[in-house]
Structures are given as C-alpha cells and as structure tokens.
Amino acid sequence: MKKTSKNNIESAELVLPCADLDKKFEFFTEHLNFQIISIFPADNPSVAVIAGYGLRIRLEKGIETNENIRIRLLCDSPEKNAVGKTELIAPNGVKIEFVEANPPLILPELKPTFVLTKFSETADWIKGRAGMRYRDLIPNRLGGRFIASHIHIPTGGEVPDYVHFHKVRFQMIYCYKGWAKLVYEDQGEPFIFNAGDCVLQPPQIRHRVLESSDNLEVIEVSCPAEHETFADNEMILPTKTFDPEREFKGQRFVHSVQKDKLEKSWRINGFYYYPTKIKYATSGLADVKIVRPFSSETPVSDLIEHNAEFVFIFILQGKAVLRRENNKNDSLNPGDSLVLPAGMKYGFSNCSEDLEMLEVTLPAEFRFTEL
C-alpha cells in the first residue's frame, strides 16, 4: 500500500489481544485464509501479524477486552504525522498509535552471566513457529541479547513452512541429528542439510524448510533474542538468479559441510577444532567451530578467561567436566549447553575420546589468557 503524502502514513494495523494466540491465528489463517506477514519470537510466539481482504491485523497475547483494541498506523516518521502526535484516542475509546513502519534493529544491553542448561528426557519443549518444538538453552537470554534453541521435528516429511526471513544481527543453525531439505534466496537449488552441517543465515535472506527426516534436531543461535520473522508471500524459491557471493546486510550465506574440515589447534591445550567459513562470511562478527580433544589422554587443561561478547558451547557427543574457579566442577553430557561469560575462569578435564562440542563466539577473534 502506498503511503499518503499528506499524513506520512504507509499502512494500518488493527491490534487484537488474544488469550490464546494459537487458536486465533489458526482461525484467521486456516478458516479465513489470511496470510501471515510476520511472527515473533519464533520459539514461543507472542505476536503475529496477518493480512487479508484489505485488512491487516496484529494478534498479541493478552487479555481479550474491547478496551485493549488498538489501531496502529505505520509511518516513515511517526512524529511527523499530520496530527503532530504519536497517539490519539477515538471517541469510542479505541487507541490510535502512530508507529515506525520499519523500525531499526535494537540490540538489548548484554547482561553477561554463566549459564549451564542440562538436557533430560523429560525436558520442556515449547510449540513454536511452523509446528516445531523448541527447548530454550539460554533462559535468561543474557538480557535479551542472545537466544539459543534446541529445535526438534518429531515426524518427518513435508514441513508446513513458508518463504520467510529474519530481522537479525546474527543467526546460525547446526544440524545435530537427522536431515532437512532447505532452499535459500540466490543460492541455487534446494539442498540436503545433513547432521554435522552448519549454515549461516545472513540477515533478511529469504529461505524455507521444505522437508525433514523423522526426529530432526538442530541448534539455532541468534542475536538479538527477540527478533521478527517476516513472511515473503511474493518470492518463489529457488530464485532464477544464482549469486553465492551476494551480501545480505554485509554477510554472505554459508553452508559448511561436515566432510569439508581442516584441523586446527584450539585455544585450550589438548584440543583441536574444525573451522567453518562463518568467520569470513561475517567479516569477523562471529565464528562457529566443532571442538574435539586430541585423545582420551587429554590432560587436565589450564584455566583460561576471555574477553569475548559471547561464548556458547553445546555438547554434541561424549562427556567432559567443566572446571571453574574455586574448585567448582560440572559434569557435561550430550545435549548440555553453557554460556561462558567474559572474565570467568574455566577449563576442561575428564574428556571422553568421542567428545565433540559446538562452539559459537561473537566476535570471531578475541583475547584469552591462560591462568
């Protein structure tokens, strides 16, 4: 919809609070054929924007009363609208809000803390976008700066996904178990994303999950924690163009395949890692590594500390003990994950020979000190 030059408004949204967002979303999309515009957060949606028949509706979790109905007018510059206000109250009590049509990505202030999330067979899974099950690996979200999710699709086959993109600073996905068929904007034909593979999803690249195996499991890390997922109801994937070097907000798409590995020494003695191309595709913003011990004879490592913004580790297989200052030890098993904040002293011991860890860091390069 073209904006009206007189009042600087691009489009409008009717806000409907929903006691049960899933049921209201299903009603409008499945029974009335409204199209999804955006949804967030992906792991436990609280807002969904849909459109149909000339009407755009913003569904928000909340108490359902007529007093909470709002109309949002999306503007280039909300403060420059014709009435000179960012909020009005209509005679019937409906609130009129003038809001930014395309607000900038906001990064919450980082609140660094040590996080250890243990896996168990009775772990809580939350139903998220497109019917996927989510397990939260960073419950406190480090102040809203980061989210890490363990995502599970129990039954394979066609995935009820749609062409979409994410408004993010950084996002990567690691295939933990099973496989999925994916397709990305300007990256060629759909491909199989196998266990051990990793993809970097640059900001706003259009993509879609087409199929999956039974019990597909992936690990997804994103910044910021809460970010919008937008549907693109016009684009058809795969696109006719093929441009693997194309940049999306300064980043390039990467599909790192498990077999394409080169061993390098890790920052802790006794370990090596397999690098990915994510460090270069993000121009040093982030890096992803697969870390392993040289052997079961790996000695108890010295404690180190770092000054990175974010260090996240997920135990893919095997066992180890995380050593912390003041003689604190934590056993690590498959499915466990941890966030190691800057300044915390840590190391590893009692590593099984088959230990394998996924490590995600921002930035790619940072200072660390052996103690």
Side-chain angles (χ1 to χ4, degrees), residues 34-233:
F34 274 67
Q35 288 188 317
I36 182 170
I37 302 300
S38 67
I39 189 167
F40 69 96
D43 63 318
N44 189 15
S46 60
V47 176
V49 180
I50 56 178
Y53 319 107
L55 177 64
R56 179 172 169 132
I57 301 175
R58 181 182 176 94
L59 304 174
E60 295 184 353
K61 280 187 177 178
I63 300 173
E64 294 190 41
T65 67
N66 290 337
E67 295 176 358
N68 290 331
I69 295 178
R70 312 193 310 275
I71 294 177
R72 288 162 49 96
L73 300 180
L74 281 60
C75 315
D76 276 346
S77 301
E79 69 282 357
K80 295 181 181 179
N81 63 75
V83 299
K85 298 179 180 180
T86 57
E87 183 177 295
L88 291 175
I89 304 296
N92 63 354
V94 173
K95 183 182 292 185
I96 312 298
E97 300 174 339
F98 297 86
V99 299
E100 190 80 36
N102 186 26
L105 182 67
I106 297 176
L107 294 178
E109 182 179 353
L110 176 69
K111 295 183 179 179
T113 183
F114 171 68
V115 180
L116 174 60
T117 304
K118 304 290 289 183
F119 176 75
S120 72
E121 297 299 328
T122 59
D124 291 331
W125 295 87
I126 299 173
K127 182 180 178 181
R129 191 188 65 80
M132 302 177 188
R133 301 170 70 223
Y134 283 74
R135 184 169 72 91
D136 194 351
L137 302 180
I138 310 178
N140 65 9
R141 309 291 172 84
L142 305 183
R145 188 85 164 193
F146 290 95
I147 183 173
S149 301
H150 183 181
I151 305 173
H152 178 216
I153 298 180
T155 304
E158 185 176 345
V159 176
D161 198 12
Y162 43 85
V163 178
H164 64 281
F165 63 94
H166 308 286
K167 195 171 184 178
V168 291
R169 173 194 182 205
F170 168 77
Q171 187 173 65
M172 59 75 60
I173 300 177
Y174 178 86
C175 189
Y176 182 29
K177 298 178 182 178
W179 58 266
K181 190 174 185 180
L182 312 178
V183 61
Y184 285 83
E185 178 183 2
D186 291 352
Q187 306 306 311
E189 295 296 316
F191 62 89
I192 300 299
F193 182 50
N194 289 300
D197 292 0
C198 179
V199 294
L200 172 72
Q201 293 187 166
Q204 301 187 28
I205 187 172
R206 274 63 171 169
H207 57 283
R208 183 180 179 187
V209 183
L210 301 173
E211 303 174 34
S212 82
S213 66
D214 288 342
N215 288 313
L216 169 69
E217 296 183 41
V218 302
I219 308 302
E220 180 179 280
V221 178
S222 304
C223 173
E226 285 201 4
H227 55 268
E228 291 183 275
T229 296
F230 292 88
D232 189 325
N233 297 308

Side-chain angles (χ1 to χ4, degrees), residues 116 321-331 349-350:
L116 174 60
V321 170
L322 173 69
R323 300 171 54 239
R324 293 191 278 153
E325 52 192 333
N326 300 325
N327 296 317
K328 294 181 179 179
N329 294 326
D330 302 288
S331 61
S349 65
N350 299 89

